[in-house]
Amino acid sequence: STSRVAVSEEATEETSRPKVIVVMPARQAAATLKATFDEIPRDAVDEVILVDDSSTDETVELARQLEINVVWHPHQVGYGGNQKTCYLEALQRGADVVVMLHPDGQYEPGLIPSMIEPIVADQADLVLGSRLLVEGWALSAGMPRWKFIANRFLTTIQNRIMGTRLSEAHTGYRAYSRELLLTVPFLRNSLDFVFDSELLYQASYFGFRIREVPARCRYFDEMSAVGFRTGVVYGLKTLWAGFRLILHRARILPSRKFIA
């Protein structure tokens, strides 16, 4: 009977534990995928999903050799479009917590337990892995100074718009609760890089709790990077998305991105 009790308690604990799924939006990630995947703490993660945005390298073939659920786009749709597929697939698979991890190795997979902890503890709905929360980390890791300055500038403006005190609004390392992804109409967002900013604005507008944890970043030749021109376009789109939120709140120009 003692063993039955032990098995019963173990089963109860297993069924009550939130399901954590890591999603990896990928494009030409063959060079870094395996190293990134190998660093994922498997005891904290139930499944890994890779969505390939029509890569021309061996990303899909390599992912299929690993313990990864693969979804591939026959046509390239962009970073935002890739994330839409990531989150839809994770929700379909019953995820309670979804962690977005770039397969290029820029962000530490070992941070995943810290990323999901506030959500599992019902203290947050969105957790951001901030590269700027600890002073000096980003620049010492190799973040270009122009990106650092632009990040600080945009984050300051976004904090004013959202009423938040975030150290960084532009990290690609994020964890979401199932409730947030079911509520926020992310399918109406952009297909490109501004998707992240739009989703952050939406989370704030709908009153979801946002937390940050310090995240070290790594810069090296194989990682994907946003160039200066793309960064400028992204910054302008981020400011425009914030202005649209202001217009929506003022009931001057409603936006479907802020209507559940």
Side-chain angles (χ1 to χ4, degrees):
S1 70
T2 304
S3 61
R4 279 184 196 166
V5 171
V7 170
S8 176
E9 288 177 350
E10 184 178 339
T12 302
E13 183 180 348
E14 185 67 27
T15 55
S16 64
R17 187 171 71 85
K19 185 173 185 178
V20 177
I21 293 183
V22 169
V23 296
M24 306 175 81
R27 168 76 182 170
Q28 310 292 81
T32 55
L33 174 58
K34 186 177 187 305
T36 303
F37 176 76
D38 287 345
E39 289 186 40
I40 295 175
R42 302 313 304 275
D43 57 339
V45 174
D46 295 284
E47 293 183 37
V48 178
I49 299 170
L50 180 138
V51 177
D52 180 78
D53 198 24
S54 191
S55 293
T56 57
D57 64 4
E58 293 74 36
T59 298
V60 170
E61 290 77 7
L62 178 58
R64 284 175 174 162
Q65 295 172 16
L66 305 171
E67 294 180 40
I68 298 177
N69 300 302
V70 179
V71 179
W72 58 274
H73 290 163
H75 315 289
Q76 186 178 357
V77 297
Y79 177 64
N82 192 315
Q83 284 193 67
K84 292 179 186 183
T85 303
C86 283
Y87 301 141
L88 284 174
E89 186 69 16
L91 291 172
Q92 294 287 344
R93 289 178 174 270
D96 296 302
V97 183
V98 180
V99 181
M100 178 176 68
L101 174 67
H102 291 180
D104 64 359
Q106 180 183 165
Y107 299 101
E108 293 180 289
L111 189 62
I112 288 175
S114 297
M115 295 283 291
I116 67 177
E117 182 181 358
I119 298 177
V120 173
D122 195 25
Q123 297 172 350
D125 304 287
L126 166 57
V127 177
L128 305 173
S130 172
R131 297 166 292 182
L132 308 186
L133 193 58
V134 177
E135 187 174 352
W137 272 14
L139 292 175
S140 64
M143 177 184 283
R145 188 165 291 276
W146 72 266
K147 282 189 176 182
F148 176 83
I149 295 172
N151 195 329
R152 285 290 198 194
F153 172 73
L154 289 172
T155 297
T156 298
I157 295 176
Q158 289 174 267
N159 278 331
R160 293 291 297 273
I161 294 172
M162 298 185 293
T164 52
R165 292 184 175 182
L166 301 175
S167 64
E168 181 186 13
H170 304 281
T171 174
Y173 203 2
R174 301 178 172 205
Y176 299 96
S177 70
R178 180 179 183 85
E179 182 184 1
L180 184 150
L181 291 175
L182 288 175
T183 302
V184 168
F186 63 85
L187 290 176
R188 299 172 188 162
N189 291 356
S190 171
L191 294 175
D192 61 21
F193 284 101
V194 78
F195 176 94
D196 280 348
S197 294
E198 291 174 333
L199 190 43
L200 184 57
Y201 283 131
Q202 290 169 320
S204 170
Y205 176 76
F206 286 103
F208 286 103
R209 300 161 296 174
I210 305 172
R211 292 274 298 273
E212 291 182 294
V213 297
R216 291 185 183 276
C217 54
R218 298 173 284 196
Y219 290 85
F220 46 89
D221 292 340
E222 289 81 9
M223 63 169 280
S224 59
V226 175
F228 181 77
R229 181 177 298 181
T230 304
V232 170
V233 173
Y234 164 77
L236 293 174
K237 287 185 175 181
T238 292
L239 294 175
W240 172 245
F243 186 53
R244 288 293 284 113
L245 172 55
I246 293 173
L247 293 177
H248 178 86
R249 280 196 309 228
R251 300 185 180 180
I252 296 174
L253 185 62
S255 170
R256 292 182 69 241
K257 292 176 182 178
F258 301 106
I259 300 174

